[in-house]
Amino acid sequence: MVGITSFGAYIPRLRLDRMAIFQSMGWFAPATVMVAQGERSMCNWDEDSLTMAVAASRDCLAGVDKTTLDGLYLASTTLPFADRQNAGIVATALNLKSDILASDFTASQKAGTGALIAALDAVKAGDRRQVLVAAADRREAKAAYFYEMWFGDGAASLCVGSDNVIAEFLGSHAVSYDFVDHYRASGKTYDYMWEERWARDEGYAKIIPEAVNGLLKKLNIGMDAVDHLVFPCFFKAEHRKIARLLGADQEKVADNLHEVCGETGAAHSLVMLCQTLERARPGDRILVAGFGQGCNVLYFKVTDRIADRPARTGVSGCLKQKKTIDNYPKFLKFRNLIQTEMGIRAEAPTQTAMTALWRKRQMLLGLVGGYCETCGTPQFPKTDICVNPACGAMHTQIDYEFADQPAVIKTFTADLLAVSVDPPHCYGMVQFDGGGRMMADFTDCTMDDLKVGLPMRMVFRKRSEDPERGFVNYFWKATPLPGARALMNRIRFDGQVAVVTGAGGGLGRVYALELAQRGAQVVVNDFGGARDGSGDGSASPADRVVAEIQAAGGRAAANYDNVATAEGGENIIRTAVEAFGGVDIVINNAGILRDKSFTKMEPENWDAVMAVHLNGAFHVTRPAFALMKERGYGRVVMTTSAAGLYGNFGQANYSAAKMALVGLMNTLKLEGAKYDIRVNTVAPLAASRLTEDILPPDMFARMKPELVAPLVVYLCSDRCQETGAIFNAGMGYVNRAAFMTGPGTVVGDDMAPPTPELIHQHWDAINAMEGAKELPDLTSALMDLMAPAPQNEAARTTVEPSPDAALNVAAVFEKMPAAFIADAAAGIDVVFQYCISGPEGGDWAVAVKDRTCTVTKGLAEKATCTLRIRDADFVRLISGELPAMQAYTSGKLKIEGDIMKSQLIEKLFSMKA
Ligand code: NAD
């Protein structure tokens, strides 16, 4: 079987809003408004047909063994060299072997489909094994012309061979006429166009149907044997009309990409074909036509292999990765359509030494450096002596391709003084992930996009032009990876080890996959029992998930132990230590269900659920916690349930076990705090075997575990500083659940204990949740009991004050100088500030200095300590009825400032006397 074996595409990142052209030039050419919708693709200043062909071919070659290529056909009408083989430059840039046939196909818009037919014929004839066909165009049009709106820049690339065919070639047909709807004379920049109406009616509308019908007849099929009809035509109405003429429904007709890209010249049929292949399903039949001085038509049938192709950017990816501009003068400058003063620095000689270019062609065009076979150090450029100071071996370097190596920015600058078509000129040092670094120009970015550590990739671009001699120099530049900023910000687990219990299916499997995908080494634990925990267990669930992780390039180890036993828990953690050297993350996820209404619940159902959920979390977390403490880092996630948090009929055992995990978290968060061990709890809601018969089917379908995993993965990350919190998560909705403690009220104390009647009397205040707060630990709860806020003491008024309290507060302070024991005050200098609350309260300051005592009403300027107490309690305290220590520990007396000095009061005053 012969056909297409791979495909790729490239559309430049920049898009020009067509309305921006009209806004600048509409005064001159008002009719262009008719086609000023959407946007057209435009090359950056350093892009041309060759650089685009290289980019599309790299996309196409993902997963292709380059050594199998023995042909490269390049199609374009805008090749930079009229006599220097352009395909040869592309082949060198792609580092293809030298014994291939490289050919340029040009001088017609159907050059792309022509090259494709030639390649398919060559493979079919057995002359070639695998041929790479690349087509690209960057056509120019004069300003304010319809064609400036219609044209776009872009490229496509297809591999053609007989192994791993994704679209079988079933035939082709061609008609050739010297039909001159437009032409471009040698050496001219712009096309000369004949009247559009004529091109439409006599050209597109007659020649395309003739060629298509010719092929259908040849193959003895009708339009019903075509699922996708692909042909370019930038006249919108004509595009539809031709499809109608051919008897094709509109759904079959491939979009001509006018709104999002524009027509990409000789590449366009193949760009549209690539987009069709990106969406095609096995069995789909595609008919593709290329128009220009006749018409080429090809017919393909998509095979099952279409599903196995490796990921690529393709047309759809390029259309997403765009930057739209409305700066029309920039478009003109980038295409050299206006002249600007570039300064005298731009006059530096630019002649290229062909001798050096030949000697260094692999380095300059192919970005090939060296790799030391002695120490394994990659370096750019390749030299005789290894750059590694610890090695320094001579003549040990083999070729090493840097073009596809991921890199990051090490240093960068944005230079406003350097000559640049698009200032400032951004450049810097890039560090390749596999080793090696180089100084590189940056492209397709602005200064604001750059950041040290930003992930970059290398792209083949024009470096400089020598207009005097008509020579273009190419080299490799660095550009931010699409979404690089987001990538930098991505939560990663590189070097960390995660243990996920019950990860053989349901939620645990998704947690494990996501953690591994983000760099964690994962222990996939699963006992493999039945939903109710019964059975002898099975290795297959854990093994399947490990295989999934490994197939995606991740690292994982399986463990089949039962979490419900201490031995099982220890084995699970031992697996992590032995396979990966430690444990940083534990997700206690394993779970079973044994639902029964309470009176029917036998003790074994209670015990089994407790054993897996509660004991399981204990057995696994305990050995892990010890390792985390040693390391000073850890993240633990418990799995509770809404059934535990809020209750659910028939799940008494499950609810109790799930709620107990919250209690376990509450204490572990305290014990782990000092060691940066953070413990949180998730209450998930997701479709799994545990919920399949509990949830209604429509809800079940909407509850993917993938919608819960992001929260859990975040809780496992070092970016999560939260600890001791509970989160509900399901169907993409996440919220926090917490235990809140109401403000309550004081209804008595040890001197006047409350009665049930008093409790009843104050029930509303006791039960109220307004102003409730979350308490971090038991101590805080105790503190609140010991020292309730004054506003929560409303009920205390029911504790009868001493009958004469009201009368005596002021009197106490009047009597104070008399009660002062001067001899005890030698060398003492203190001010006691009393702030007495209650109806008879007020502020009094008692100053003791050099055996003297002065009492003043009001607030002292500077107090040694401030004592706050209610009027009735104050009277009881002074009268000796309420011991000072008891007043303090019960919270009735609050002391601020120097608490030690407050103890002098008892020594300095004798009120009883
Ligand atoms: P699931 O049945 O798909 O996954 C649980 C996994 O735990 C199973 O693969 C099972 O083999 C494994 N397992 C059971 N007992 C084990 C043991 N003793 N040792 C090791 N592995 C064991 O169910 P799921 O819905 O993915 O549940 C995951 C967790 O989430 C459970 O703790 C569950 O209680 C909890 N949860 C789930 C939901 C939900 O909506 N799915 C709701 C609330 C709580």
Side-chain angles (χ1 to χ4, degrees), residues 502 505-507 525-529 561-563 589-592 612-613 639-641 654 658 684-686 688-691:
L507 286 155
N525 155 264
D526 207 294
F527 172 65
D561 276 290
N562 183 346
V563 295
N589 169 78
I592 58 166
V612 175
H613 292 276
T639 309
T640 185
S641 162
Y654 184 69
K658 285 304 197 188
L685 198 59
S688 77
R689 69 172 186 171
L690 286 192
T691 46

PDB file of all heavy atoms in Angstrom, residues 502 505-507 525-529 561-563 589-592 612-613 639-641 654 658 684-686 688-691, ligand 1:
ATOM      1  N   GLY A 502      -5.060   2.424  46.733  1.00  0.00           N
ATOM      2  CA  GLY A 502      -6.282   2.167  45.951  1.00  0.00           C
ATOM      3  C   GLY A 502      -6.219   2.837  44.603  1.00  0.00           C
ATOM      4  O   GLY A 502      -7.212   3.377  44.113  1.00  0.00           O
ATOM      5  N   GLY A 505      -7.805   1.904  40.199  1.00  0.00           N
ATOM      6  CA  GLY A 505      -9.005   2.299  39.435  1.00  0.00           C
ATOM      7  C   GLY A 505      -9.554   3.584  39.997  1.00  0.00           C
ATOM      8  O   GLY A 505      -8.932   4.208  40.876  1.00  0.00           O
ATOM      9  N   GLY A 506     -10.711   4.001  39.520  1.00  0.00           N
ATOM     10  CA  GLY A 506     -11.432   5.162  40.044  1.00  0.00           C
ATOM     11  C   GLY A 506     -10.579   6.398  40.213  1.00  0.00           C
ATOM     12  O   GLY A 506      -9.748   6.730  39.367  1.00  0.00           O
ATOM     13  N   LEU A 507     -10.769   7.056  41.347  1.00  0.00           N
ATOM     14  CA  LEU A 507     -10.076   8.318  41.601  1.00  0.00           C
ATOM     15  C   LEU A 507      -8.566   8.136  41.742  1.00  0.00           C
ATOM     16  O   LEU A 507      -7.780   8.917  41.230  1.00  0.00           O
ATOM     17  CB  LEU A 507     -10.619   8.935  42.893  1.00  0.00           C
ATOM     18  CG  LEU A 507     -12.019   9.554  42.780  1.00  0.00           C
ATOM     19  CD1 LEU A 507     -12.710   9.564  44.124  1.00  0.00           C
ATOM     20  CD2 LEU A 507     -11.924  10.975  42.227  1.00  0.00           C
ATOM     21  N   ASN A 525      -0.575   1.613  44.651  1.00  0.00           N
ATOM     22  CA  ASN A 525      -1.002   0.505  45.511  1.00  0.00           C
ATOM     23  C   ASN A 525      -2.435   0.132  45.178  1.00  0.00           C
ATOM     24  O   ASN A 525      -3.282   1.004  45.010  1.00  0.00           O
ATOM     25  CB  ASN A 525      -0.907   0.920  46.994  1.00  0.00           C
ATOM     26  CG  ASN A 525      -1.865   0.101  47.855  1.00  0.00           C
ATOM     27  OD1 ASN A 525      -2.985   0.527  48.145  1.00  0.00           O
ATOM     28  ND2 ASN A 525      -1.448  -1.101  48.215  1.00  0.00           N
ATOM     29  N   ASP A 526      -2.697  -1.138  45.058  1.00  0.00           N
ATOM     30  CA  ASP A 526      -4.088  -1.600  45.007  1.00  0.00           C
ATOM     31  C   ASP A 526      -4.135  -3.083  45.342  1.00  0.00           C
ATOM     32  O   ASP A 526      -3.406  -3.886  44.772  1.00  0.00           O
ATOM     33  CB  ASP A 526      -4.746  -1.357  43.649  1.00  0.00           C
ATOM     34  CG  ASP A 526      -6.261  -1.219  43.794  1.00  0.00           C
ATOM     35  OD1 ASP A 526      -6.930  -2.211  44.167  1.00  0.00           O
ATOM     36  OD2 ASP A 526      -6.761  -0.112  43.567  1.00  0.00           O
ATOM     37  N   PHE A 527      -5.014  -3.380  46.276  1.00  0.00           N
ATOM     38  CA  PHE A 527      -5.175  -4.760  46.721  1.00  0.00           C
ATOM     39  C   PHE A 527      -5.946  -5.567  45.674  1.00  0.00           C
ATOM     40  O   PHE A 527      -5.758  -6.777  45.527  1.00  0.00           O
ATOM     41  CB  PHE A 527      -5.920  -4.722  48.066  1.00  0.00           C
ATOM     42  CG  PHE A 527      -6.337  -6.048  48.583  1.00  0.00           C
ATOM     43  CD1 PHE A 527      -5.383  -6.994  48.938  1.00  0.00           C
ATOM     44  CD2 PHE A 527      -7.673  -6.369  48.753  1.00  0.00           C
ATOM     45  CE1 PHE A 527      -5.765  -8.232  49.434  1.00  0.00           C
ATOM     46  CE2 PHE A 527      -8.057  -7.606  49.246  1.00  0.00           C
ATOM     47  CZ  PHE A 527      -7.107  -8.541  49.579  1.00  0.00           C
ATOM     48  N   GLY A 528      -6.782  -4.864  44.924  1.00  0.00           N
ATOM     49  CA  GLY A 528      -7.488  -5.520  43.826  1.00  0.00           C
ATOM     50  C   GLY A 528      -8.633  -6.409  44.258  1.00  0.00           C
ATOM     51  O   GLY A 528      -8.934  -7.393  43.596  1.00  0.00           O
ATOM     52  N   GLY A 529      -9.283  -6.057  45.372  1.00  0.00           N
ATOM     53  CA  GLY A 529     -10.421  -6.843  45.839  1.00  0.00           C
ATOM     54  C   GLY A 529     -11.729  -6.385  45.213  1.00  0.00           C
ATOM     55  O   GLY A 529     -11.741  -5.540  44.323  1.00  0.00           O
ATOM     56  N   ASP A 561      -0.344  -4.629  48.359  1.00  0.00           N
ATOM     57  CA  ASP A 561      -0.657  -4.900  49.767  1.00  0.00           C
ATOM     58  C   ASP A 561      -2.005  -4.358  50.184  1.00  0.00           C
ATOM     59  O   ASP A 561      -2.546  -3.418  49.587  1.00  0.00           O
ATOM     60  CB  ASP A 561       0.437  -4.286  50.651  1.00  0.00           C
ATOM     61  CG  ASP A 561       1.621  -5.220  50.764  1.00  0.00           C
ATOM     62  OD1 ASP A 561       1.454  -6.263  51.417  1.00  0.00           O
ATOM     63  OD2 ASP A 561       2.671  -4.922  50.174  1.00  0.00           O
ATOM     64  N   ASN A 562      -2.501  -4.950  51.280  1.00  0.00           N
ATOM     65  CA  ASN A 562      -3.765  -4.533  51.860  1.00  0.00           C
ATOM     66  C   ASN A 562      -3.467  -3.418  52.866  1.00  0.00           C
ATOM     67  O   ASN A 562      -2.723  -3.626  53.819  1.00  0.00           O
ATOM     68  CB  ASN A 562      -4.364  -5.763  52.556  1.00  0.00           C
ATOM     69  CG  ASN A 562      -5.717  -5.480  53.133  1.00  0.00           C
ATOM     70  OD1 ASN A 562      -6.128  -4.329  53.266  1.00  0.00           O
ATOM     71  ND2 ASN A 562      -6.427  -6.545  53.477  1.00  0.00           N
ATOM     72  N   VAL A 563      -4.078  -2.249  52.689  1.00  0.00           N
ATOM     73  CA  VAL A 563      -3.792  -1.143  53.605  1.00  0.00           C
ATOM     74  C   VAL A 563      -4.310  -1.425  55.014  1.00  0.00           C
ATOM     75  O   VAL A 563      -3.872  -0.788  55.977  1.00  0.00           O
ATOM     76  CB  VAL A 563      -4.413   0.193  53.118  1.00  0.00           C
ATOM     77  CG1 VAL A 563      -3.808   0.659  51.823  1.00  0.00           C
ATOM     78  CG2 VAL A 563      -5.928   0.106  53.013  1.00  0.00           C
ATOM     79  N   ASN A 589      -6.374   6.801  49.801  1.00  0.00           N
ATOM     80  CA  ASN A 589      -7.537   6.810  48.915  1.00  0.00           C
ATOM     81  C   ASN A 589      -8.280   5.474  48.892  1.00  0.00           C
ATOM     82  O   ASN A 589      -9.458   5.436  48.570  1.00  0.00           O
ATOM     83  CB  ASN A 589      -7.045   7.184  47.506  1.00  0.00           C
ATOM     84  CG  ASN A 589      -8.096   6.960  46.458  1.00  0.00           C
ATOM     85  OD1 ASN A 589      -9.007   7.766  46.326  1.00  0.00           O
ATOM     86  ND2 ASN A 589      -7.975   5.862  45.711  1.00  0.00           N
ATOM     87  N   ALA A 590      -7.578   4.394  49.260  1.00  0.00           N
ATOM     88  CA  ALA A 590      -8.211   3.064  49.152  1.00  0.00           C
ATOM     89  C   ALA A 590      -9.535   3.055  49.913  1.00  0.00           C
ATOM     90  O   ALA A 590      -9.649   3.653  50.982  1.00  0.00           O
ATOM     91  CB  ALA A 590      -7.279   2.007  49.735  1.00  0.00           C
ATOM     92  N   GLY A 591     -10.520   2.419  49.335  1.00  0.00           N
ATOM     93  CA  GLY A 591     -11.804   2.414  50.019  1.00  0.00           C
ATOM     94  C   GLY A 591     -12.724   1.309  49.554  1.00  0.00           C
ATOM     95  O   GLY A 591     -12.606   0.800  48.441  1.00  0.00           O
ATOM     96  N   ILE A 592     -13.629   0.923  50.459  1.00  0.00           N
ATOM     97  CA  ILE A 592     -14.654  -0.079  50.136  1.00  0.00           C
ATOM     98  C   ILE A 592     -15.986   0.418  50.695  1.00  0.00           C
ATOM     99  O   ILE A 592     -16.013   1.381  51.459  1.00  0.00           O
ATOM    100  CB  ILE A 592     -14.334  -1.456  50.749  1.00  0.00           C
ATOM    101  CG1 ILE A 592     -14.206  -1.338  52.280  1.00  0.00           C
ATOM    102  CG2 ILE A 592     -13.071  -2.038  50.146  1.00  0.00           C
ATOM    103  CD1 ILE A 592     -14.219  -2.680  52.986  1.00  0.00           C
ATOM    104  N   VAL A 612     -10.346  -0.665  56.454  1.00  0.00           N
ATOM    105  CA  VAL A 612      -9.764  -0.141  55.211  1.00  0.00           C
ATOM    106  C   VAL A 612      -9.594   1.384  55.287  1.00  0.00           C
ATOM    107  O   VAL A 612      -8.515   1.914  55.031  1.00  0.00           O
ATOM    108  CB  VAL A 612     -10.619  -0.527  53.983  1.00  0.00           C
ATOM    109  CG1 VAL A 612     -10.070   0.138  52.723  1.00  0.00           C
ATOM    110  CG2 VAL A 612     -10.649  -2.039  53.816  1.00  0.00           C
ATOM    111  N   HIS A 613     -10.655   2.073  55.674  1.00  0.00           N
ATOM    112  CA  HIS A 613     -10.602   3.531  55.612  1.00  0.00           C
ATOM    113  C   HIS A 613      -9.761   4.126  56.738  1.00  0.00           C
ATOM    114  O   HIS A 613      -8.801   4.858  56.471  1.00  0.00           O
ATOM    115  CB  HIS A 613     -12.019   4.122  55.649  1.00  0.00           C
ATOM    116  CG  HIS A 613     -12.804   3.811  54.420  1.00  0.00           C
ATOM    117  ND1 HIS A 613     -12.711   4.564  53.279  1.00  0.00           N
ATOM    118  CD2 HIS A 613     -13.682   2.819  54.140  1.00  0.00           C
ATOM    119  CE1 HIS A 613     -13.517   4.051  52.349  1.00  0.00           C
ATOM    120  NE2 HIS A 613     -14.105   2.982  52.848  1.00  0.00           N
ATOM    121  N   THR A 639      -8.895  10.906  52.547  1.00  0.00           N
ATOM    122  CA  THR A 639     -10.121  10.950  51.742  1.00  0.00           C
ATOM    123  C   THR A 639     -11.315  10.722  52.652  1.00  0.00           C
ATOM    124  O   THR A 639     -11.505   9.631  53.191  1.00  0.00           O
ATOM    125  CB  THR A 639     -10.088   9.868  50.648  1.00  0.00           C
ATOM    126  OG1 THR A 639      -8.852  10.001  49.946  1.00  0.00           O
ATOM    127  CG2 THR A 639     -11.239  10.055  49.679  1.00  0.00           C
ATOM    128  N   THR A 640     -12.085  11.757  52.851  1.00  0.00           N
ATOM    129  CA  THR A 640     -13.320  11.625  53.625  1.00  0.00           C
ATOM    130  C   THR A 640     -14.478  11.525  52.640  1.00  0.00           C
ATOM    131  O   THR A 640     -14.285  11.230  51.456  1.00  0.00           O
ATOM    132  CB  THR A 640     -13.482  12.796  54.615  1.00  0.00           C
ATOM    133  OG1 THR A 640     -14.631  12.557  55.419  1.00  0.00           O
ATOM    134  CG2 THR A 640     -13.643  14.137  53.915  1.00  0.00           C
ATOM    135  N   SER A 641     -15.667  11.819  53.085  1.00  0.00           N
ATOM    136  CA  SER A 641     -16.829  11.723  52.207  1.00  0.00           C
ATOM    137  C   SER A 641     -17.928  12.621  52.752  1.00  0.00           C
ATOM    138  O   SER A 641     -18.013  12.857  53.970  1.00  0.00           O
ATOM    139  CB  SER A 641     -17.305  10.276  52.177  1.00  0.00           C
ATOM    140  OG  SER A 641     -18.623  10.226  51.704  1.00  0.00           O
ATOM    141  N   TYR A 654     -19.400   3.655  57.217  1.00  0.00           N
ATOM    142  CA  TYR A 654     -18.609   4.464  56.303  1.00  0.00           C
ATOM    143  C   TYR A 654     -18.509   5.913  56.809  1.00  0.00           C
ATOM    144  O   TYR A 654     -17.435   6.509  56.836  1.00  0.00           O
ATOM    145  CB  TYR A 654     -19.295   4.395  54.933  1.00  0.00           C
ATOM    146  CG  TYR A 654     -18.596   5.094  53.803  1.00  0.00           C
ATOM    147  CD1 TYR A 654     -17.392   4.618  53.290  1.00  0.00           C
ATOM    148  CD2 TYR A 654     -19.158   6.229  53.222  1.00  0.00           C
ATOM    149  CE1 TYR A 654     -16.778   5.258  52.226  1.00  0.00           C
ATOM    150  CE2 TYR A 654     -18.550   6.865  52.162  1.00  0.00           C
ATOM    151  CZ  TYR A 654     -17.359   6.387  51.661  1.00  0.00           C
ATOM    152  OH  TYR A 654     -16.749   7.023  50.611  1.00  0.00           O
ATOM    153  N   LYS A 658     -15.079   7.698  57.811  1.00  0.00           N
ATOM    154  CA  LYS A 658     -14.655   8.857  57.033  1.00  0.00           C
ATOM    155  C   LYS A 658     -14.477  10.078  57.920  1.00  0.00           C
ATOM    156  O   LYS A 658     -13.599  10.899  57.693  1.00  0.00           O
ATOM    157  CB  LYS A 658     -15.688   9.148  55.925  1.00  0.00           C
ATOM    158  CG  LYS A 658     -15.615   8.158  54.770  1.00  0.00           C
ATOM    159  CD  LYS A 658     -14.228   8.111  54.179  1.00  0.00           C
ATOM    160  CE  LYS A 658     -14.140   7.501  52.821  1.00  0.00           C
ATOM    161  NZ  LYS A 658     -12.747   7.304  52.380  1.00  0.00           N
ATOM    162  N   PRO A 684     -14.379  13.695  47.875  1.00  0.00           N
ATOM    163  CA  PRO A 684     -14.613  13.729  46.424  1.00  0.00           C
ATOM    164  C   PRO A 684     -16.043  13.330  46.066  1.00  0.00           C
ATOM    165  O   PRO A 684     -16.754  12.745  46.875  1.00  0.00           O
ATOM    166  CB  PRO A 684     -13.624  12.690  45.897  1.00  0.00           C
ATOM    167  CG  PRO A 684     -13.448  11.725  47.016  1.00  0.00           C
ATOM    168  CD  PRO A 684     -13.711  12.466  48.305  1.00  0.00           C
ATOM    169  N   LEU A 685     -16.412  13.651  44.872  1.00  0.00           N
ATOM    170  CA  LEU A 685     -17.653  13.155  44.293  1.00  0.00           C
ATOM    171  C   LEU A 685     -17.317  12.829  42.846  1.00  0.00           C
ATOM    172  O   LEU A 685     -17.005  13.737  42.070  1.00  0.00           O
ATOM    173  CB  LEU A 685     -18.737  14.233  44.369  1.00  0.00           C
ATOM    174  CG  LEU A 685     -20.154  13.716  44.211  1.00  0.00           C
ATOM    175  CD1 LEU A 685     -20.489  12.687  45.274  1.00  0.00           C
ATOM    176  CD2 LEU A 685     -21.144  14.862  44.309  1.00  0.00           C
ATOM    177  N   ALA A 686     -17.295  11.539  42.520  1.00  0.00           N
ATOM    178  CA  ALA A 686     -16.857  11.167  41.173  1.00  0.00           C
ATOM    179  C   ALA A 686     -17.448   9.831  40.773  1.00  0.00           C
ATOM    180  O   ALA A 686     -17.789   9.003  41.620  1.00  0.00           O
ATOM    181  CB  ALA A 686     -15.331  11.072  41.133  1.00  0.00           C
ATOM    182  N   SER A 688     -17.333   6.262  39.822  1.00  0.00           N
ATOM    183  CA  SER A 688     -16.422   5.133  40.015  1.00  0.00           C
ATOM    184  C   SER A 688     -17.272   3.925  40.353  1.00  0.00           C
ATOM    185  O   SER A 688     -18.496   4.042  40.479  1.00  0.00           O
ATOM    186  CB  SER A 688     -15.440   5.422  41.152  1.00  0.00           C
ATOM    187  OG  SER A 688     -16.101   5.254  42.386  1.00  0.00           O
ATOM    188  N   ARG A 689     -16.617   2.810  40.571  1.00  0.00           N
ATOM    189  CA  ARG A 689     -17.426   1.615  40.870  1.00  0.00           C
ATOM    190  C   ARG A 689     -18.130   1.763  42.223  1.00  0.00           C
ATOM    191  O   ARG A 689     -19.102   1.105  42.494  1.00  0.00           O
ATOM    192  CB  ARG A 689     -16.578   0.357  40.797  1.00  0.00           C
ATOM    193  CG  ARG A 689     -15.554   0.251  41.899  1.00  0.00           C
ATOM    194  CD  ARG A 689     -14.875  -1.106  41.883  1.00  0.00           C
ATOM    195  NE  ARG A 689     -13.998  -1.234  43.018  1.00  0.00           N
ATOM    196  CZ  ARG A 689     -13.393  -2.333  43.383  1.00  0.00           C
ATOM    197  NH1 ARG A 689     -13.570  -3.438  42.692  1.00  0.00           N
ATOM    198  NH2 ARG A 689     -12.616  -2.373  44.436  1.00  0.00           N
ATOM    199  N   LEU A 690     -17.582   2.646  43.100  1.00  0.00           N
ATOM    200  CA  LEU A 690     -18.227   2.835  44.390  1.00  0.00           C
ATOM    201  C   LEU A 690     -19.542   3.600  44.264  1.00  0.00           C
ATOM    202  O   LEU A 690     -20.417   3.485  45.093  1.00  0.00           O
ATOM    203  CB  LEU A 690     -17.301   3.612  45.348  1.00  0.00           C
ATOM    204  CG  LEU A 690     -16.096   2.883  45.945  1.00  0.00           C
ATOM    205  CD1 LEU A 690     -15.500   3.701  47.077  1.00  0.00           C
ATOM    206  CD2 LEU A 690     -16.473   1.499  46.473  1.00  0.00           C
ATOM    207  N   THR A 691     -19.643   4.420  43.211  1.00  0.00           N
ATOM    208  CA  THR A 691     -20.831   5.275  43.115  1.00  0.00           C
ATOM    209  C   THR A 691     -21.775   4.878  41.986  1.00  0.00           C
ATOM    210  O   THR A 691     -22.806   5.500  41.803  1.00  0.00           O
ATOM    211  CB  THR A 691     -20.395   6.748  42.914  1.00  0.00           C
ATOM    212  OG1 THR A 691     -19.383   6.783  41.918  1.00  0.00           O
ATOM    213  CG2 THR A 691     -19.903   7.375  44.178  1.00  0.00           C
TER     214      THR A 691
HETATM  215  P1  NAD B   1     -12.896   2.677  43.576  1.00  0.00           P
HETATM  216  O1  NAD B   1     -13.548   1.464  44.094  1.00  0.00           O
HETATM  217  O2  NAD B   1     -12.890   2.888  42.107  1.00  0.00           O
HETATM  218  O3  NAD B   1     -11.404   2.775  44.086  1.00  0.00           O
HETATM  219  C1  NAD B   1     -11.014   2.304  45.330  1.00  0.00           C
HETATM  220  C2  NAD B   1      -9.815   1.419  45.139  1.00  0.00           C
HETATM  221  O4  NAD B   1      -9.311   1.038  46.401  1.00  0.00           O
HETATM  222  C3  NAD B   1     -10.138   0.137  44.374  1.00  0.00           C
HETATM  223  O5  NAD B   1      -9.308   0.042  43.233  1.00  0.00           O
HETATM  224  C4  NAD B   1      -9.860  -0.964  45.378  1.00  0.00           C
HETATM  225  O6  NAD B   1      -9.312  -2.135  44.788  1.00  0.00           O
HETATM  226  C5  NAD B   1      -8.862  -0.305  46.306  1.00  0.00           C
HETATM  227  N1  NAD B   1      -8.890  -0.922  47.637  1.00  0.00           N
HETATM  228  C6  NAD B   1      -9.964  -1.286  48.358  1.00  0.00           C
HETATM  229  N2  NAD B   1      -9.573  -1.832  49.518  1.00  0.00           N
HETATM  230  C7  NAD B   1      -8.232  -1.819  49.530  1.00  0.00           C
HETATM  231  C8  NAD B   1      -7.258  -2.221  50.456  1.00  0.00           C
HETATM  232  N3  NAD B   1      -7.623  -2.795  51.640  1.00  0.00           N
HETATM  233  N4  NAD B   1      -5.958  -2.041  50.167  1.00  0.00           N
HETATM  234  C9  NAD B   1      -5.582  -1.486  48.985  1.00  0.00           C
HETATM  235  N5  NAD B   1      -6.476  -1.110  48.056  1.00  0.00           N
HETATM  236  C10 NAD B   1      -7.784  -1.250  48.338  1.00  0.00           C
HETATM  237  O7  NAD B   1     -13.597   3.926  44.287  1.00  0.00           O
HETATM  238  P2  NAD B   1     -13.342   5.494  44.203  1.00  0.00           P
HETATM  239  O8  NAD B   1     -14.662   6.115  44.059  1.00  0.00           O
HETATM  240  O9  NAD B   1     -12.280   5.838  43.271  1.00  0.00           O
HETATM  241  O10 NAD B   1     -12.908   5.805  45.705  1.00  0.00           O
HETATM  242  C11 NAD B   1     -11.686   6.348  46.110  1.00  0.00           C
HETATM  243  C12 NAD B   1     -11.831   6.946  47.493  1.00  0.00           C
HETATM  244  O11 NAD B   1     -12.705   8.067  47.447  1.00  0.00           O
HETATM  245  C13 NAD B   1     -12.431   5.998  48.522  1.00  0.00           C
HETATM  246  O12 NAD B   1     -11.795   6.208  49.754  1.00  0.00           O
HETATM  247  C14 NAD B   1     -13.863   6.447  48.610  1.00  0.00           C
HETATM  248  O13 NAD B   1     -14.446   6.130  49.852  1.00  0.00           O
HETATM  249  C15 NAD B   1     -13.706   7.925  48.433  1.00  0.00           C
HETATM  250  N6  NAD B   1     -14.913   8.603  47.974  1.00  0.00           N
HETATM  251  C16 NAD B   1     -15.351   8.455  46.721  1.00  0.00           C
HETATM  252  C17 NAD B   1     -16.483   9.134  46.341  1.00  0.00           C
HETATM  253  C18 NAD B   1     -16.952   9.077  44.930  1.00  0.00           C
HETATM  254  O14 NAD B   1     -17.868   9.830  44.589  1.00  0.00           O
HETATM  255  N7  NAD B   1     -16.383   8.262  44.095  1.00  0.00           N
HETATM  256  C19 NAD B   1     -17.191   9.922  47.239  1.00  0.00           C
HETATM  257  C20 NAD B   1     -16.710  10.053  48.516  1.00  0.00           C
HETATM  258  C21 NAD B   1     -15.556   9.394  48.873  1.00  0.00           C
END
